[in-house]
Amino acid sequence: MYLRAYDAYTGRVLWQHEADPFTRFASMPDGVYAAGSNEVVVRDVYSGKELKRFNYSAGLESDAKLLVGDMRVGGDVIVVAAAHEKVRKIPKGLYNSAVLVALDRWSGQQLWTRNANERFNTHGLALGPGRVFAADSPSADKVAELKRRGETPGATETTLLALDSRTGQVQWQRALAIPYLCYHDTDYPLGS
């Protein structure tokens, strides 16, 4: 897989670099941030030259590879949502992440790590001034397993979290009962 930059006016390829298959990126004025394989690489927007490389871990085994589900960059932090295994199908957990890792945007120092009670849905991750917002909820495959056993819940519990972006400390949290929906009846493949 390659991470490529194109000229917006001509379509000409400005640069390209090999990237991990599960790389996620964010384009910011100071660089293109690419997260994959336990590291974030910051590249110059115009030349693609590597400006910085930051390593991170989930705090488990030192060699445990994390597979990036998504990333957010803002203010003075980088937040990576990652899993210990990755799949390419929605019903099997395409949008599931097991851990959030926060890094200082300028030095790369790992600030904190938070493991999900259930899973972090990558679509439920956002940054605000001084805050990281995340939704920790049962995955679609876990709820589908209940349905197969005839135990379809009327609702599932989701915990919304507002975390201090520098420390990871919970600023507030709310438990919500979300009406049960199932998009799991069909196996929708994405990619190979």
Side-chain angles (χ1 to χ4, degrees):
M1 180 178 139
Y2 289 93
L3 181 63
R4 292 184 178 99
Y6 294 89
D7 183 292
Y9 297 101
T10 66
R12 180 177 61 90
V13 175
L14 297 174
W15 53 265
Q16 74 176 21
H17 290 280
E18 284 193 49
D20 183 78
F22 293 106
T23 296
R24 298 295 180 259
F25 70 93
S27 187
M28 304 297 285
D30 63 303
V32 176
Y33 292 72
S37 296
N38 292 62
E39 64 184 10
V40 174
V41 176
V42 184
R43 296 192 175 279
D44 180 77
V45 174
Y46 301 104
S47 70
K49 177 185 173 192
E50 183 177 309
L51 302 174
K52 301 174 188 174
R53 182 177 296 262
F54 307 138
N55 294 313
Y56 60 87
S57 71
L60 301 172
E61 300 171 25
S62 60
D63 60 350
K65 183 176 179 181
L66 291 174
L67 300 165
V68 177
D70 216 337
M71 174 182 57
R72 301 289 185 271
V73 179
D76 58 358
V77 297
I78 302 166
V79 177
V80 177
H84 303 289
E85 61 180 334
K86 195 66 177 162
V87 296
R88 292 182 182 256
K89 294 182 180 183
I90 292 171
K92 301 295 182 189
L94 177 65
Y95 303 116
N96 295 356
S97 290
V99 63
L100 299 178
V101 179
L103 307 171
D104 181 275
R105 183 173 170 186
W106 313 117
S107 71
Q109 176 189 1
Q110 188 163 325
L111 301 171
W112 53 268
T113 303
R114 183 176 186 90
N115 292 305
N117 288 327
E118 293 285 345
R119 60 96 191 218
F120 294 115
N121 184 320
T122 57
H123 296 300
L125 179 63
L127 292 182
R131 299 282 188 272
V132 175
F133 299 95
D136 191 342
S137 62
S139 64
D141 51 330
K142 183 175 182 178
V143 175
E145 179 58 32
L146 292 174
K147 182 180 177 183
R148 281 191 290 278
R149 288 189 276 161
E151 302 172 23
T152 304
T156 58
E157 186 172 294
T158 294
T159 302
L160 298 179
L161 299 161
L163 308 170
D164 182 281
S165 63
R166 299 295 296 176
T167 66
Q169 294 298 310
V170 175
Q171 300 300 298
W172 57 260
Q173 67 182 41
R174 301 287 182 273
L176 304 172
I178 306 295
Y180 169 73
L181 297 172
C182 185
Y183 302 106
H184 219 281
D185 295 328
T186 306
D187 197 19
Y188 297 102
L190 290 179
S192 53

